[in-house]
């Protein structure tokens, strides 16, 4: 504030004189517009939109600074608005270049934190739920999202990059006066953003229709400015009345007829037509002194952020090609130093002491739940990177459209405002899944599933989830997850379930079937647990079930008929995998002990112990995942409903799901995956080719556990990590002429 007052006092009398001069020159027939105070031409810079192609602007800026070309105002659209905004806030082109190369663009164009930072409850739901994406249910109606992404990570990235201007609300007070252009979705007209939060303005200008969610601002729903004004020459003219406009167009050209072969390509072409038309209109307004630069970006597309270094070089070359025209705008060294000195000072990226915290919460959650996850206390120094991570953890709870922050100055104190916006599709979601497996004998298994999740039932974040699966296996489940405090470290989880499935009992050779049952089971239980940060969980549970084992074929046994099962369980789980289905880092482990007790209603006493663990190893585009499962009965004789199951894709491939069963189980595999697409590209669907080597077995007697009874198996598959969830096409082969084909959408096991 003091520097602004000093600036105002020093500039008072020159300002009066300059104002008088401007008035005189406005009525002078020899001058149409004002010149800068030094007599040099006033220059306006216009940076157009184009996604990743907009990185070329950095190369343009480097050339302008090399030539000592002063910029008196800057306007931008979409990616051009981001480059322009950072430049206006004082970031140098060199720093921009360094920053752009370090950004994890695939992560920037996703929502929420890396999977390792998700709440453990969310990770657990990923193993139970079917697909990553779902539809909302609001006011009793299915609600589709407005876009593929909400832009949560992109907004937080922009907040960090624009931190020096965090407290600036008038864009005229930036180091260079700045404007961003967005489009009013209701009217189709351009909206010029001149004030507010700089990061929000840049994010609104880059709200790519259908890809990134619109931004609600001042009662308007804003999308990408490229739709209405992709190279906003008119905005720069109105901003600083420049003598010369330097405009840069990085928009993609229209595609030829031969490339218009799909709905997506045609839709993209229609958008490009709108952009090209408004760009041509702006180009027609240029005068003989103005400079139009079109970098020859060739095949660099709007999503090729992994080619940012290449785009920057192309931009520099394009400016170099117009060096002669640009050089006429070069200021003398003295004038350029005076220009730099006259720009308003903004603080260097700073980490202020936070004096107070305020939660703006539009959800049903208690403010305390959000505040606990922010992990900032009055007196703490702001750590933008850690704050972004914490806000993403809040977003990852799954109940938010956006979780953002801003800094304010009130009575000489710095405040942190955290704003949590509820999802526009509502707090409740529907997820879907599909499984199809068939062997070469004609046997098949088809399951289709749906899950309905109600979130934010109460202020502590209670969730009610119901799961339905129909097909060869029937599964009905409902549970109510209730955190016991605002910190959400302890929880209660009561549940009800009903299952129907086929269970095969093996002969001593563990290959042929001695009997097959149709198991029908009703269950209920409750679990008390402790979340271990985001990486693990400890829990104890009580369980009761009753059902019937109906003989389908084979010889009768003591297992036929009704059964009762009741006991308690102890479980420890850890999950730090970066991806559930295509991991490259982290680990997973699940250890479970179960004791059935006649005193609690079980038919007999028995104890079981099981362990499942995996850890990926990644290099280049390859990933190797060792995994093993061990399980066994410690004491007693559990019924078939408590046997350990083996079979299915990547679970002794070649066999159908649960085709092998026993009181003891051992399984190990090595999964290899190779990523077929670029891992550094944004807005892509990761594609994989892979295979597995597997060995395992299930036995009912310890005397049968021998190396020569282990069954070798393997698989080949193609996989895709789609917005709906993982999709697989695979084939499995196991010893004993067992072969199966698989198609899966959703969970693996």
């Amino acid at each position: 504030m003091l520097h602004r007052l000093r600036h105002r006092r020093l500039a008072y009398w020159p300002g009066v004189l300059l104002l008088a001069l401007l008035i005189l020159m406005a009525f002078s027939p020899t001058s149409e517009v004002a010149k800068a105070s030094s007599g040099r031409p006033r220059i306006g810079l216009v940076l157009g939109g184009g996604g990743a192609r907009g990185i070329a602007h950095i190369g343009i800026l480097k050339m302008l600074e090399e030539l000592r070309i002063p910029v008196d105002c800057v306007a931008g659209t979409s990616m051009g608005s981001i480059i322009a905004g950072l430049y206006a806030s004082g970031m140098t082109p060199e720093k921009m270049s360094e920053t752009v190369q370090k950004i994890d663009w695939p992560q920037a164009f996703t929502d929420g934190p890396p999977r390792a930072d998700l709440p453990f409850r969310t990770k657990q739901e990923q193993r139970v739920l079917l697909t990553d994406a779902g539809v909302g249910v609001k006011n009793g109606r299915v609600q589709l999202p407005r876009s593929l992404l909400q832009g949560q990570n992109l907004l937080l990235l922009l907040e960090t990059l624009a931190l020096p201007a965090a407290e600036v609300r008038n864009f005229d007070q930036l180091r260079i006066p700045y404007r961003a252009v967005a489009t009013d979705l209701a009217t189709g007209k351009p909206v010029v953003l001149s004030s507010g939060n700089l990061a929000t303005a840049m994010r609104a200008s880059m709200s790519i229709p259908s890809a990134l969610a619109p931004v609600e601002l001042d009662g308007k729903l804003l999308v990408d400015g490229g739709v209405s004004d992709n190279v906003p020459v008119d905005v720069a003219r109105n901003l600083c009345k420049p003598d010369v406009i330097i405009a840069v167009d990085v928009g993609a050209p229209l595609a030829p007829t031969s490339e218009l072969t799909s709905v997506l390509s045609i839709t993209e072409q229609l958008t490009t037509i709108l952009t090209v038309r408004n760009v041509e209109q702006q180009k027609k307004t240029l005068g003989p002194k103005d400079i139009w630069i079109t970098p020859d970006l060739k095949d660099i597309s709007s999503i090729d952020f992994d080619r940012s270094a290449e785009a920057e070089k192309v931009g520099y070359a394009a400016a170099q090609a117009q060096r002669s025209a640009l050089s006429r705008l070069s200021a003398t060294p003295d004038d350029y130093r005076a220009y730099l000195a006259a720009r308003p000072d903004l603080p260097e990226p700073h980490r202020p002491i936070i004096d107070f915290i305020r939660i703006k919460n539009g959800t049903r959650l208690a403010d305390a739940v959000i505040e606990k996850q922010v992990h900032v206390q009055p007196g703490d120094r702001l750590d933008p990177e850690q704050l972004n991570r914490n806000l993403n953890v809040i977003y990852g709870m799954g109940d938010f459209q956006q979780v953002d922050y801003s800094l304010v100055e009130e009575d000489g104190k710095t405040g942190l405002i955290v704003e949590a916006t509820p999802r526009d599709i509502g707090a409740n979601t529907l997820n879907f899944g599909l499984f199809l497996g068939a062997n070469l004998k004609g046997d098949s298994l088809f399951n289709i599933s749906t899950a309905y999740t109600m979130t934010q039932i109460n202020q502590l974040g209670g969730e009610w989830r119901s799961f339905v699966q129909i097909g060869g296996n029937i599964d009905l489940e409902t549970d109510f997850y209730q955190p016991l405090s605002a910190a959400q470290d302890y929880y209660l989880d009561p549940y009800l379930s009903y299952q129907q499935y086929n269970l095969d009992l093996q002969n001593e050779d563990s290959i042929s079937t001695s009997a097959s049952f149709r198991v029908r089971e009703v269950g209920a239980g409750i679990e008390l647990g402790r979340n271990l940060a985001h990486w693990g969980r400890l829990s104890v549970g009580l369980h009761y079930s009753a059902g019937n084992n109906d003989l389908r074929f084979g010889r009768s046994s003591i297992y036929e008929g009704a059964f009762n099962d009741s006991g308690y369980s102890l479980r420890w789980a850890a999950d730090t995998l970066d991806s559930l289905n295509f991991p490259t880092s982290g680990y997973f482990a699940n250890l479970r002990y179960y004791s059935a007790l006649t005193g609690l209603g079980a038919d007999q006493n028995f104890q079981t112990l099981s362990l499942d663990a995996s850890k990926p190893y990644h290099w280049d585009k390859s990933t190797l995942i060792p995994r093993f499962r061990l399980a066994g009965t410690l004491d007693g004789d559990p019924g078939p409903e408590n046997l350990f199951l083996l079979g299915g894709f990547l679970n002794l491939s070649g066999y159908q799901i649960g085709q092998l069963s026993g009181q003891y189980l051992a399984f190990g595999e090595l999964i290899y995956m190779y990523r077929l697409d670029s891992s550094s590209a944004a807005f892509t669907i990761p594609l994989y080719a892979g295979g597995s080597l597997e060995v395992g077995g299930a036995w009912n007697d310890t005397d049968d556990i021998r190396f020569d009874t282990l069954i070798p198996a393997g698989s080949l598959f193609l996989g895709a990590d789609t917005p709906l969830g993982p999709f697989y096409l695979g084939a499995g082969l196991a010893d004993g002429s067992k072969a199966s084909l698989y198609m899966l959408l959703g969970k693996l096991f």
Side-chain angles (χ1 to χ4, degrees):
M1 185 67 182
L2 291 176
H3 73 272
R4 294 175 185 166
L5 294 174
R6 287 196 296 270
H7 178 74
R8 290 172 182 172
R9 285 197 296 269
L10 292 172
Y12 179 78
W13 286 109
V16 172
L17 295 175
L18 178 59
L19 179 62
L21 181 62
L22 290 174
I23 294 172
L24 291 172
M25 293 181 68
F27 291 94
S28 172
T30 61
S31 179
E32 297 179 357
V33 293
K35 301 292 189 289
S37 58
S38 65
R40 64 171 177 80
R42 185 173 291 275
I43 299 169
L45 178 63
V46 182
L47 304 182
R53 296 165 63 93
I55 304 298
H57 294 313
I58 299 175
I60 303 286
L61 293 175
K62 283 185 175 181
M63 177 57 69
L64 297 184
E65 293 209 342
E66 285 182 19
L67 297 175
R68 300 189 307 277
I69 296 176
V71 175
D72 296 284
C73 65
V74 58
T77 296
S78 195
M79 178 57 77
S81 76
I82 294 176
I83 302 298
L86 297 180
Y87 192 54
S89 63
M91 184 179 289
T92 66
E94 289 73 19
K95 183 64 176 178
M96 284 188 209
S97 180
E98 178 186 340
T99 301
V100 164
Q101 299 305 317
K102 291 181 179 179
I103 292 174
D104 184 348
W105 290 106
Q107 179 64 21
F109 288 107
T110 57
D111 287 327
R115 186 178 181 276
D117 290 339
L118 286 172
F120 195 86
R121 165 71 172 180
T122 306
K123 296 176 185 178
Q124 185 184 47
E125 287 181 339
Q126 290 179 344
R127 295 181 175 274
V128 178
L129 296 181
L130 316 162
T131 55
D132 297 331
V135 299
V137 180
K138 188 176 182 181
N139 299 325
R141 296 183 177 181
V142 173
Q143 187 85 21
L144 297 176
R146 291 171 172 169
S147 59
L148 292 175
L149 298 172
Q150 300 305 321
Q152 170 71 13
N153 285 342
L154 179 60
L155 178 60
L156 293 181
L157 171 64
L158 295 176
E159 293 281 13
T160 300
L161 296 178
L163 193 59
E167 298 174 28
V168 176
R169 290 297 177 262
N170 184 343
F171 298 162
D172 288 341
Q173 297 175 354
L174 295 170
R175 302 207 73 189
I176 303 172
Y178 162 79
R179 297 292 185 269
V181 179
T183 301
D184 187 336
L185 189 57
T187 65
K189 296 180 179 180
V191 176
V192 180
L193 303 174
S194 61
S195 61
N197 181 279
L198 178 61
T200 301
M202 295 189 292
R203 165 68 180 86
S205 183
M206 198 177 172
S207 299
I208 306 168
S210 299
L212 289 168
V215 173
E216 294 187 39
L217 196 62
D218 299 329
K220 298 177 180 178
L221 202 60
L222 303 181
V223 296
D224 197 292
V227 177
S228 58
D229 196 357
N230 199 47
V231 187
V233 173
D234 54 337
V235 176
R237 290 198 190 283
N238 292 329
L239 176 55
C240 64
K241 302 294 188 281
D243 295 286
V244 179
I245 289 283
I246 302 173
V248 186
D249 177 21
V250 295
L254 291 170
T257 303
S258 59
E259 297 180 9
L260 302 176
T261 57
S262 67
V263 173
L264 291 176
S265 62
I266 293 174
T267 302
E268 184 178 1
Q269 183 83 335
L270 292 173
T271 304
T272 305
I273 289 173
L274 294 175
T275 302
V276 169
R277 285 181 176 176
N278 70 61
V279 169
E280 288 300 318
Q281 291 174 355
Q282 292 293 328
K283 193 174 182 179
K284 291 177 181 178
T285 68
L286 297 179
K289 297 180 182 179
D290 300 324
I291 299 172
W292 185 271
I293 302 175
T294 305
D296 186 12
L297 292 160
K298 295 183 174 66
D299 63 336
I300 299 178
S301 75
S302 60
I303 63 174
D304 286 337
F305 287 92
D306 55 326
R307 301 174 68 182
S308 57
E310 183 181 349
E312 181 185 322
K313 290 179 180 178
V314 173
Y316 186 87
Q320 180 74 27
Q322 300 212 39
R323 187 182 185 100
S324 177
L326 291 171
S327 295
R328 301 188 188 104
L329 304 176
S330 296
T332 66
D334 288 342
D335 284 347
Y336 195 68
R337 282 192 294 271
Y339 155 78
L340 295 175
R343 296 193 302 186
D345 291 329
L346 293 177
E348 294 294 322
H350 64 315
R351 300 172 184 261
I353 299 294
I354 301 300
D355 297 303
F356 63 91
I357 300 151
R358 187 177 301 151
I359 307 296
K360 296 177 66 175
N361 179 17
T363 73
R364 284 180 264 180
L365 285 178
D367 291 353
V369 174
I370 297 173
E371 191 170 351
K372 284 285 186 181
Q373 299 299 325
V374 173
H375 295 298
V376 176
Q377 301 295 325
D380 290 349
R381 187 172 296 277
L382 178 67
D383 184 340
E385 292 78 16
Q386 186 60 49
L387 178 60
N388 285 353
R389 184 174 179 177
N390 295 338
L391 296 185
N392 254 343
V393 168
I394 297 172
Y395 181 89
M397 294 165 64
D399 308 324
F400 304 96
Q401 181 81 7
Q402 180 178 291
V403 183
D404 190 18
Y405 76 95
S406 58
L407 298 176
V408 297
E409 286 288 331
E410 295 181 2
D411 301 325
K413 296 183 177 181
T414 300
L416 173 67
I417 311 299
V418 176
E419 184 170 4
T421 306
R423 291 187 298 192
D424 57 10
I425 62 172
N428 307 327
T429 57
L430 276 170
N431 294 76
F432 304 93
L434 173 69
F435 173 85
L436 176 62
N439 60 31
L440 299 184
K441 294 181 179 181
D443 301 322
S444 64
L445 178 63
F446 174 79
N447 294 319
I448 186 170
S449 314
T450 183
Y452 180 57
T453 306
M454 302 175 64
T455 64
Q456 298 183 0
I457 292 178
N458 50 49
Q459 289 192 329
L460 291 180
E463 296 181 7
W464 186 8
R465 181 187 64 211
S466 298
F467 174 88
V468 177
Q469 176 177 282
I470 58 175
N473 296 335
I474 297 175
D475 193 355
L476 308 176
E477 298 178 19
T478 187
D479 77 297
F480 188 88
Y481 177 83
Q482 179 59 61
L484 300 180
S485 68
Q488 299 196 332
D489 42 5
Y490 291 94
Y491 69 91
L492 276 176
D493 191 2
Y495 62 89
L496 298 171
S497 66
Y498 174 78
Q499 293 180 306
Q500 283 192 36
Y501 58 93
N502 294 333
L503 178 66
D504 296 334
L505 299 184
Q506 277 71 52
N507 287 308
E508 294 180 357
D509 59 12
S510 297
I511 295 178
S512 60
T513 300
S514 66
S516 179
F517 294 93
R518 183 68 173 177
V519 181
R520 295 174 173 85
E521 181 178 7
V522 177
I526 188 169
E527 183 177 89
L528 170 66
R530 171 78 159 86
N531 291 316
L532 306 173
H534 299 135
W535 64 266
R537 171 180 286 182
L538 284 171
S539 64
V540 58
L542 291 175
H543 170 79
Y544 174 80
S545 65
N548 203 74
N549 297 321
D550 297 326
L551 185 66
R552 298 173 64 229
F553 60 83
R555 59 177 188 266
S556 181
S557 73
I558 60 172
Y559 297 127
E560 188 177 356
F563 65 86
N564 290 281
D565 182 23
S566 183
Y568 70 92
S569 64
L570 301 173
R571 187 167 74 100
W572 171 82
D575 186 349
T576 65
L577 297 176
D578 62 342
S579 170
L580 176 60
N581 297 287
F582 305 99
T584 60
S585 65
Y587 59 89
F588 169 77
N590 186 63
L591 178 65
R592 183 178 185 267
Y593 168 82
Y594 179 69
S595 177
L597 299 172
T598 55
L600 294 177
D603 291 333
Q604 55 187 320
N605 296 324
F606 65 87
Q607 294 84 41
T608 63
L609 185 67
S610 62
L611 173 64
D612 188 350
S614 64
K615 177 173 175 52
Y617 297 89
H618 180 75
W619 68 98
D620 297 326
K621 289 189 172 185
S622 297
T623 304
L624 186 66
I625 310 173
R627 177 183 174 230
F628 71 89
R629 292 177 59 203
L630 296 173
T633 302
L634 303 179
D635 185 44
D637 185 17
E641 67 280 357
N642 286 297
L643 297 179
F644 299 104
L645 305 181
L646 194 59
F649 180 53
L650 298 180
N651 202 28
L652 211 63
S653 303
Y655 285 86
Q656 293 282 43
I657 293 178
Q659 192 172 351
L660 296 177
S661 63
Q663 294 190 35
Y664 306 92
L665 181 148
F667 174 74
E669 68 180 335
L670 283 175
I671 302 172
Y672 173 78
M673 297 186 301
Y674 182 84
R675 184 159 181 176
L676 300 174
D677 64 305
S678 172
S679 59
S680 59
F683 290 109
T684 60
I685 295 177
L687 301 174
Y688 301 86
S692 65
L693 295 175
E694 310 165 27
V695 63
W699 309 271
N700 286 311
D701 196 299
T702 56
D703 294 336
D704 298 329
I705 304 175
R706 303 185 309 273
F707 281 106
D708 61 346
T709 60
L710 290 172
I711 303 169
S715 72
L716 294 173
F717 62 85
L718 292 173
D721 200 7
T722 76
L724 295 177
F727 178 79
Y728 294 90
L729 286 175
L733 182 66
D735 190 34
S737 301
K738 299 289 186 179
S740 294
L741 302 175
Y742 303 96
M743 184 179 73
L744 303 91
L745 175 63
K747 63 180 181 178
L748 262 181
F749 308 113

